[in-house]
């Protein structure tokens, strides 16, 4: 009886203490966020330096340094997110409330609170990233191919046996990652649930100013808008590959073998344009040959990209960009060659890391990566938590919007083309671009559809590879060149999976870039066919562009989208407008062909 009375008394005292605890104030919330932003910025700079060194000098020591820096950053973010819960329920001004929301969404790899588990997760993440960077396929002991060499072979070869061999060789890089990736998923999910999310995938989908369920529905709406165009392209490409390789290699009414589409992942198909039956030089020019005729080196190609942004009114890149960036693959060491843009200090230490080759695809990639850099600098005056894109799809779309303006008219202004090709070349030009942009759409959708199901547990580790290819078949209509098993881990052969980079941003960017492009063409005063527009040199378009860029993520993305486009919803009609002549042509070419797979 005495024990029970003591318990009741303790409970009453606890309730009194809770009631007596002062409620947090707006001033305290502002003070908390200010301190949090300072801490995030300091640790972010340290982490960026460590990650830069690790990706450019891959050794056990640099892996350890990067893992330690990431562990400190993850620990600080986890602690800050936990502390921020004290302010739950407090009515705040919109800007302050948005900062708290963004803070809680700040980890793409949330880690468990337990320090040993958190350290295990960061070490696992760094090891996966490094495995990809060090990955090679050795055909012979003295003939080892890194991803740059493999991409080149798959872009240029038309020998199906060689393509199959190289495809299989590169995909072996994933198999050793399988168990560690499964463990990474477990640890990340534990961190996500401790932060109040169902799993890591739900956390990722919460970052779009709508519920995860609303976001999934939005993706399906956008996909249904563009799917008919993709199906027409797939049907045409498959028929031409059947003519090239024969029905014993390419099934006339089935999925396309993934190794025949011009790169290790079948993510875009531009490299197979010469196989599609159009007359040689039907586009009127070959951008790779134009670049080589200029005797450009890697840095010279980057200068062209910078000059486009400068023509819109943006200031030149800082001198440190040219001193600190990596433009070509070193001969003496392994690096992560996957192209990336870096903002080391959230101010002016901007860099790119690329293994540039003098070719058309790299010229376009340069414009893409610089888009990140100019976006990063545009919002540098924003508070730390607003130093990001309106959503991650915006960040990926900026440079691609500029790359869409690499038209014959633009190349003529640069002095690369003597004259603009006639209208007869429009279909080849549109087809070449569709092989990159339209072909990519289902691939961009697939990667995170797979990961979200992995994070949720719907896809078990025992079915990782089967589920991967089931989704590739469903959305893309592609299949592996040989039967795959669960001894393989083909997702690991795509950088963004071992690198833990959310991928839906690229699908959104593929939609948004055409929406941005249409708006900038209109702002520049252009009135002709959309696919012929370049807004190069338009200060009016540049000012409108910058007005959106400098907002960072300070407002919900529909507000920022409206600033540039006048629309508050992502809209795929711009991509349909752009490719309308091609859609009509494809439908004529596909008469009598089986559509789909």
């Amino acid at each position: 009886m005495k024990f029970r009375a003591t318990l009741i008394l303790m409970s009453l005292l606890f309730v009194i203490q809770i009631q007596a605890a002062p409620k947090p104030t707006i001033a305290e919330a502002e003070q908390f966020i200010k301190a949090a932003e300072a801490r995030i910025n300091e640790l972010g700079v340290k982490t960026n330096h460590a990650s830069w060194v690790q990706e450019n000098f891959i050794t056990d020591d640099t892996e350890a340094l990067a893992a330690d820096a990431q562990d400190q950053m993850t620990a600080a973010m986890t602690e800050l997110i936990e502390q921020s819960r004290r302010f739950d329920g407090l009515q705040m001004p919109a800007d302050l409330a948005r900062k708290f929301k963004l803070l809680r969404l700040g980890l793409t790899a949330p880690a468990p609170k337990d320090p040993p588990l958190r350290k295990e997760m960061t070490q696992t993440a760094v090891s996966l990233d490094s495995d990809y960077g060090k990955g090679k396929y050795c055909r012979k002991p003295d003939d080892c191919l890194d991803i740059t060499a493999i991409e080149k072979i798959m872009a240029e070869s038309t020998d199906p046996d060689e393509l199959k061999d190289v495809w299989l060789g590169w995909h072996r890089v994933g198999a050793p990652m399988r168990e560690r990736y499964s463990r990474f998923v477990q640890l990340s999910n534990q961190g996500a649930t401790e932060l109040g999310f169902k799993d890591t995938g739900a956390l990722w989908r919460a970052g779009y100013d709508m519920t995860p369920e609303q976001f999934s529905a939005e993706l399906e709406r956008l996909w249904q808008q563009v799917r008919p165009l993709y199906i027409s392209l797939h049907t045409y490409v498959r028929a031409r590959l059947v003519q090239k390789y024969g029905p014993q290699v390419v099934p006339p009414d089935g999925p396309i073998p993934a190794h025949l589409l011009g790169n290790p992942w079948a993510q875009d198909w531009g490299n197979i344009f010469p196989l599609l039956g159009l007359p040689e030089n039907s586009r009127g020019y070959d951008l790779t040959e134009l670049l080589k005729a200029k005797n450009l080196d890697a840095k010279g190609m980057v200068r062209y990209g910078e000059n486009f942004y400068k023509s819109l009114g943006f200031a030149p890149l800082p001198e440190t960009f040219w001193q600190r960036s990596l433009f070509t693959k070193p001969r003496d060491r392994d690096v992560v060659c996957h192209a990336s843009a870096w903002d080391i200090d959230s101010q002016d230490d901007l860099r790119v890391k690329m293994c540039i080759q003098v070719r058309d695809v790299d010229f376009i990639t340069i414009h893409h990566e610089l888009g990140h850099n100019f976006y990063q600098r545009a919002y540098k005056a924003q508070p730390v938590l607003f130093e990001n894109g309106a959503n991650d799809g915006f960040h990926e779309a900026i440079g691609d919007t500029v790359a869409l303006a690499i038209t014959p008219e633009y190349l003529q202004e640069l002095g690369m083309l003597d004259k603009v090709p006639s209208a007869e070349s429009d279909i080849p030009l549109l087809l070449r671009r569709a092989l990159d942009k339209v072909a990519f759409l289902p691939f961009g959708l697939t990667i995170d559809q797979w990961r979200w199901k992995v994070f949720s547990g719907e896809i078990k580790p025992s079915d990782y590879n089967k589920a991967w290819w089931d989704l590739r078949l469903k959305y893309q209509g592609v299949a592996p060149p040989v039967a795959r098993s669960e001894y393989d881990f083909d997702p690991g052969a795509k950088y963004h999976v071992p690198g833990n980079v959310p991928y839906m941003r690229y699908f959104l960017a593929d939609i948004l870039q055409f929406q941005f492009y249409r708006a900038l063409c209109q702002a520049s005063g252009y009135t002709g066919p959309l696919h012929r527009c370049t807004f190069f040199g338009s200060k009016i378009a540049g000012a409108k562009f910058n007005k959106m860029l400098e907002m960072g993520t300070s407002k919900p993305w529909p507000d920022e989208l409206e600033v540039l486009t006048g629309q508050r919803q992502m809209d795929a009609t711009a991509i349909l407008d752009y490719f309308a002549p091609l859609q009509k042509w494809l439908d004529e070419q596909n008469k009598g062909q089986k559509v789909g797979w």
Side-chain angles (χ1 to χ4, degrees):
M1 187 70 178
K2 183 178 178 182
F3 176 69
R4 183 181 176 192
T6 301
L7 282 177
I8 293 172
L9 179 60
M10 290 175 64
S11 298
L12 287 171
L13 288 171
F14 179 75
V15 170
I16 291 169
Q17 286 177 339
I18 293 294
Q19 291 175 341
K23 293 182 178 179
T25 65
I26 296 295
E28 289 173 331
E30 290 174 338
Q31 189 176 29
F32 171 81
I33 282 293
K34 184 177 180 180
E37 288 186 308
R39 189 176 180 191
I40 291 168
N41 185 64
E42 179 185 2
L43 289 174
V45 173
K46 291 180 180 178
T47 302
N48 289 338
H49 279 298
S51 296
W52 176 267
V53 172
Q54 177 253 324
E55 291 206 2
N56 285 280
F57 300 87
I58 303 174
T59 68
D60 292 342
D61 292 324
T62 60
E63 282 186 33
L65 292 170
D68 183 61
Q70 290 183 23
D71 182 60
Q72 290 182 47
M73 185 65 175
T74 302
M77 287 293 294
T78 304
E79 179 184 344
L80 290 169
I81 293 168
E82 183 66 26
Q83 291 172 353
S84 73
R85 290 182 171 180
R86 175 180 170 232
F87 300 94
D88 286 353
L90 178 64
Q91 294 297 312
M92 305 180 194
D95 281 2
L96 185 60
R98 185 164 181 79
K99 286 186 177 183
F100 273 87
K101 175 185 175 181
L102 294 172
L103 172 63
R104 291 167 188 174
L105 295 171
L107 288 172
T108 56
K113 296 176 188 175
D114 181 65
L117 291 179
R118 187 187 68 239
K119 186 172 184 179
E120 179 189 354
M121 197 188 92
T122 54
Q123 289 175 335
T124 301
V126 170
S127 75
L128 290 168
D129 182 84
S130 290
D131 273 10
Y132 186 93
K134 292 183 291 189
K136 288 182 176 66
Y137 166 45
C138 294
R139 295 187 285 194
K140 299 177 182 176
D142 59 346
D143 181 20
C144 290
L145 306 172
D146 62 13
I147 187 57
T148 302
I150 285 169
E151 284 188 85
K152 191 172 190 302
I153 291 171
M154 299 201 72
E156 297 174 356
S157 176
T158 56
D159 178 345
D161 292 330
E162 180 182 36
L163 290 169
K164 182 190 292 187
D165 176 68
V166 172
W167 189 96
L168 290 169
W170 175 249
H171 278 72
R172 289 184 191 129
V173 75
M177 302 178 186
R178 185 190 183 95
E179 289 187 13
R180 277 175 295 147
Y181 186 77
S182 177
R183 178 60 175 159
F184 173 82
V185 168
Q186 292 175 348
L187 294 168
S188 183
N189 274 342
Q190 182 177 332
T193 55
E194 288 175 359
L195 295 177
F197 294 92
K198 185 178 178 182
D199 55 61
T200 299
L203 184 153
W204 287 6
R205 295 194 302 280
Y208 295 91
D209 296 303
M210 56 180 70
T211 67
E213 293 74 22
Q214 289 171 329
F215 181 58
S216 294
E218 181 72 354
L219 295 174
E220 184 62 23
R221 179 186 68 80
L222 292 168
W223 170 237
Q224 290 305 323
Q225 279 187 290
V226 297
R227 185 174 182 272
L229 177 58
Y230 175 76
I231 296 294
S232 294
L233 181 67
H234 181 282
T235 302
Y236 174 79
V237 168
R238 180 181 59 196
R240 296 304 177 273
L241 291 179
V242 170
Q243 291 177 358
K244 171 66 179 176
Y245 294 112
Q248 72 280 6
V249 176
V250 182
D253 57 358
I256 300 173
H259 65 301
L260 301 178
L261 288 166
N263 66 67
W265 312 280
Q267 67 180 54
D268 49 57
W269 308 344
N271 289 320
I272 65 166
F273 177 82
L275 308 183
L276 299 186
L278 277 71
E280 191 174 356
N281 296 324
S282 57
R283 287 189 293 157
Y285 68 93
D286 183 320
L287 180 53
T288 298
E289 293 305 315
L290 295 179
L291 295 169
K292 289 179 178 178
K294 285 283 186 180
N295 293 317
L296 292 175
D297 60 8
K299 190 175 286 190
M301 289 175 65
V302 179
R303 289 285 185 189
Y304 272 105
E306 180 197 34
N307 285 337
F308 196 117
Y309 291 90
K310 287 165 60 178
S311 83
L312 301 178
F314 292 95
L317 291 163
E319 189 57 35
T320 53
F321 171 87
W322 303 100
Q323 297 166 352
R324 298 171 183 172
S325 292
L326 178 79
F327 299 119
T328 56
K329 187 182 188 307
R331 296 180 179 180
D332 61 341
R333 66 182 191 272
D334 290 323
V335 300
V336 176
C337 267
H338 180 82
S340 55
W342 296 65
D343 178 12
I344 299 293
D345 64 355
S346 298
Q347 288 299 311
D348 292 308
D349 192 352
L350 305 170
R351 310 178 191 181
V352 294
K353 178 180 60 60
M354 289 182 64
C355 299
I356 295 172
Q357 302 175 59
V358 180
R359 55 180 182 167
D360 52 2
V361 65
D362 288 45
F363 191 67
I364 291 168
T365 300
I366 286 163
H367 287 72
H368 169 87
E369 296 302 338
L370 292 185
H372 289 298
N373 288 143
F374 280 96
Y375 201 175
Q376 289 157 346
R377 190 169 61 180
Y379 57 59
K380 72 176 184 179
Q382 291 285 354
V384 170
L385 286 167
F386 291 160
E387 291 178 344
N388 210 334
N391 66 41
D392 54 9
F394 276 60
H395 229 305
E396 297 299 333
I398 300 307
D400 281 348
T401 300
V402 171
L404 284 174
I406 301 175
T407 60
E409 289 78 2
Y410 167 62
L411 296 174
Q412 185 185 42
E413 287 200 48
L414 297 182
M416 290 190 184
L417 272 180
D418 292 332
K419 63 179 182 177
V420 174
S422 65
E424 285 75 33
S425 67
D426 278 5
I427 291 301
L429 286 168
L430 286 169
L431 178 59
R432 178 62 178 81
R433 183 147 275 172
L435 293 170
D436 290 332
K437 301 297 183 180
V438 178
F440 176 79
L441 285 162
F443 182 84
L445 196 63
T446 298
I447 305 300
D448 280 352
Q449 296 285 3
W450 178 81
R451 268 194 295 203
W452 294 344
K453 287 175 168 50
V454 167
F455 284 128
S456 72
E458 182 178 340
I459 295 175
K460 310 294 184 189
S462 58
D463 291 320
Y464 275 173
N465 227 45
K466 178 182 182 301
W468 173 261
W469 286 108
D470 285 349
L471 286 167
R472 301 283 305 267
L473 179 65
K474 174 184 175 181
Y475 286 106
Q476 275 190 287
V478 303
V482 300
R484 308 299 280 165
S485 75
E486 295 306 324
Y487 289 105
D488 304 303
F489 183 55
D490 293 330
K494 176 60 182 168
Y495 169 75
H496 299 75
V497 175
N500 196 50
V501 179
Y503 208 77
M504 200 55 69
R505 61 186 64 176
Y506 301 103
F507 172 79
L508 296 178
D510 219 16
I511 303 293
L512 284 166
Q513 64 189 261
F514 287 90
Q515 198 170 355
F516 294 167
Y517 174 74
R518 182 170 63 184
L520 290 169
C521 288
Q522 292 168 350
S524 72
Y526 179 81
T527 57
L530 185 57
H531 62 275
R532 284 282 191 165
C533 166
T534 185
F535 47 84
F536 176 76
S538 173
K539 299 295 193 294
I540 295 174
K544 194 167 188 178
F545 209 9
N546 188 60
K547 187 175 181 181
M548 181 185 77
L549 300 185
E550 64 187 9
M551 296 171 74
T553 189
S554 62
K555 302 293 181 185
W557 65 260
D559 294 350
E560 303 197 15
L561 179 66
E562 188 175 23
V563 167
L564 179 59
T565 69
Q567 299 175 278
R568 294 187 59 81
Q569 187 179 48
M570 290 182 283
D571 178 19
T573 61
I575 197 171
L576 301 180
D577 289 348
Y578 186 95
F579 288 109
L582 179 67
Q583 174 77 74
K584 181 180 178 182
W585 183 83
L586 287 172
D587 289 344
E588 292 172 355
Q589 304 302 309
N590 290 338
K591 287 178 181 177
Q593 298 286 342
K594 178 185 173 178
V595 175
W597 52 88

